[in-house]
Amino acid sequence: MAPRKIIIDTDPGQDDAVAILLALASPDEIDVLGITAVAGNVPLALTAKNARIVCELAGKPETLVFAGCDRPLGRDLVTAEHVHGKTGLNGPVLPDPTMPLQDQHGVDFIIDTVRAHDPGSVTLCPLGPLTNIAMAFEKAPDIMERVQEIVLMGGAYFEVGNITPAAEFNIYVDPQAAGIVFKSGVPIVVMPLDVTHKALVTRPRNDAFRAIGNEVGTAVAEMTDFFERFDKEKYGSEGAPLHDPCVTAYLIQPELFTGRHINVEIETHSELTMGMTVADWWRVTDRPPNAMFMGDIDADGFFALLTERLARL
Ligand code: BDR
Ligand code: CA
C-alpha cells in the first residue's frame, strides 16, 4: 500500500518531537508532506524553530516546515513552559537548525496541499491547539470535504483535564478552533488523555530508548527524562505520558488503539469548563457521532513500535 500522505500540525514540545521522529522514521507507511507549526506549548517562533531542530535530528532537513498562527482565534495564548521548559524542547542539547523555514504561511500550505491532492488523500495530524486547522477551514471551506481524516491529540473524558480541572491543554488553548474542527464533518480520530495517560515512559522504557545507541534514542531518553519530573510529581505515576506519538503510531498500527465512535462537543462559553470535550461515551444523547474517541492502548506494543522505529534513524 502507498504511504499515507499527512500534514503534521504541531507545537513542539518534547512529545510532539517524538511524534515527528516516529513519522519521519516510517516512510513505508507515512509520507510527511509538510509540518506546520502553531503557537501552543511555547510561542510560535520557538515551535517553528523546534520543528526544524527535530527534522535535522532525524536526518531529514529536506522536510518542509512552515510557521502558522501565532495566537488562538479569540483568546490570549496560554503556554506550557512549566511542563516543557523555556525552549519547549528542554532536555537534550541540540544544535540550532540550519534548514530553512518556508516563506508560505502554514495555513495557506494546508489549503494548497489539500486542494492539490486527490480528494480523500491527505490526512491532517494536529498535535497542538487547533488554530491552523480551523483557520484553513474558515478560509477555504471547500477543503473540508477533501480531507481524508483528522487524527489528533486532544481532549479527555474519564481523565477530565490537565490544564484546568475540566480541559485538556490543546483544546483549552483554542476552544473556538476546536469547536470549528469538531463541527467540520471531516472524519476525526481523537487520542485523548484517557489513552495518553496509559502511554507512560517507565524507567525500563526510557532505558530502552537510551539503549538504541543512536543520537535520536539518546535525545528522546533525555527529553522524556526532562518532562518526567513534572508529570511524576503531578500524577504520582511511574513516568511521563507520551501524548502526541499516539497520533503517528495510530497511522502505522491502528490496532494498538480501541475506542468508540461517538459525539464530541466542545465547551466554548463557560469559563469554568472552557475547552472541555463533552464526549457522549455512554451514548446518552441522540447527537450524531462525529469522532472516533479512543479509550485504550496496547502500551507495550506502542513502546515496542516506537523503539524499533527510532532505531532506524
Ligand atoms: C498536549 O499538550 C501539550 O503539552 C503536549 O504536547 C500534548 O500535545 C497534552 O495535553
Ligand atoms: Ca503538542
Side-chain angles (χ1 to χ4, degrees):
M1 218 165 61
R4 199 158 159 179
K5 294 184 195 322
I6 70 165
I7 297 172
I8 299 178
D9 187 69
T10 177
D11 63 338
Q14 294 90 346
D15 61 319
D16 301 71
V18 180
I20 294 168
L21 292 169
L22 177 58
L24 293 178
S26 308
D28 290 345
E29 294 93 353
I30 300 176
D31 177 5
V32 181
L33 300 174
I35 297 178
T36 51
V38 68
N41 285 324
V42 285
L44 181 67
L46 284 171
T47 60
K49 178 180 170 187
N50 292 346
R52 287 176 292 145
I53 290 176
V54 174
C55 292
E56 290 190 1
L57 174 64
K60 312 266 181 189
E62 67 282 9
T63 311
L64 302 178
V65 176
F66 302 81
C69 298
D70 65 358
R71 72 187 80 114
L73 298 186
R75 289 165 67 83
D76 291 340
L77 177 64
V78 175
T79 53
E81 285 87 355
H82 60 293
V83 184
H84 300 274
K86 218 170 158 179
T87 69
L89 220 48
N90 282 40
V93 179
L94 296 168
D96 279 353
T98 56
M99 63 183 278
L101 183 64
Q102 301 297 310
D103 290 336
Q104 192 181 23
H105 193 283
V107 169
D108 294 325
F109 171 73
I110 294 171
I111 294 169
D112 288 356
T113 305
V114 173
R115 282 180 177 160
H117 287 82
D118 290 342
S121 69
V122 176
T123 294
L124 305 178
C125 298
L127 310 176
L130 290 160
T131 319
N132 287 341
I133 311 296
M135 275 289 278
F137 288 177
E138 292 284 273
K139 221 176 147 183
D142 58 288
I143 67 168
M144 290 192 279
E145 60 179 31
R146 299 179 70 93
V147 173
Q148 181 180 359
E149 198 171 40
I150 296 172
V151 184
L152 68 88
M153 190 281 137
Y157 180 63
F158 294 98
E159 290 283 305
V160 199
N162 61 355
I163 184 75
T164 75
E168 179 280 328
F169 179 79
N170 289 343
I171 307 295
Y172 176 77
V173 172
D174 199 340
Q176 280 74 27
I180 290 167
V181 169
F182 278 81
K183 283 192 187 326
S184 67
V186 177
I188 302 177
V189 176
V190 183
M191 294 294 168
L193 296 181
D194 308 326
V195 167
T196 68
H197 279 182
K198 293 172 188 151
L200 299 177
V201 188
T202 58
R203 187 45 43 194
R205 289 169 179 163
N206 184 287
D207 290 344
F209 290 146
R210 210 175 290 273
I212 293 172
N214 63 9
E215 200 189 346
V216 170
T218 308
V220 167
E222 289 173 356
M223 285 182 205
T224 51
D225 267 344
F226 179 84
F227 68 81
E228 180 184 78
R229 91 222 175 287
F230 168 82
D231 284 297
K232 266 186 162 171
E233 202 176 302
K234 182 170 173 191
Y235 302 111
S237 59
E238 302 166 82
L242 210 41
H243 306 281
D244 295 337
C246 291
V247 167
T248 40
Y250 174 81
L251 301 175
I252 303 167
Q253 257 179 261
E255 65 279 5
L256 291 173
F257 302 89
T258 52
R260 292 184 177 204
H261 192 228
I262 56 170
N263 177 269
V264 180
E265 303 285 329
I266 311 296
E267 176 58 61
T268 56
H269 295 293
S270 155
E271 266 310 318
L272 187 64
T273 54
M274 184 63 75
M276 186 172 187
T277 42
V278 182
D280 190 5
W281 183 262
W282 301 114
R283 300 195 176 104
V284 292
T285 73
D286 53 12
R287 295 195 285 260
N290 59 347
M292 183 69 193
F293 198 84
M294 293 304 180
D296 214 347
I297 178 176
D298 167 1
D300 286 335
F302 169 76
F303 280 96
L305 171 70
L306 203 47
T307 309
E308 184 259 314
R309 292 304 165 104
L310 296 180
R312 297 185 186 185
L313 289 173

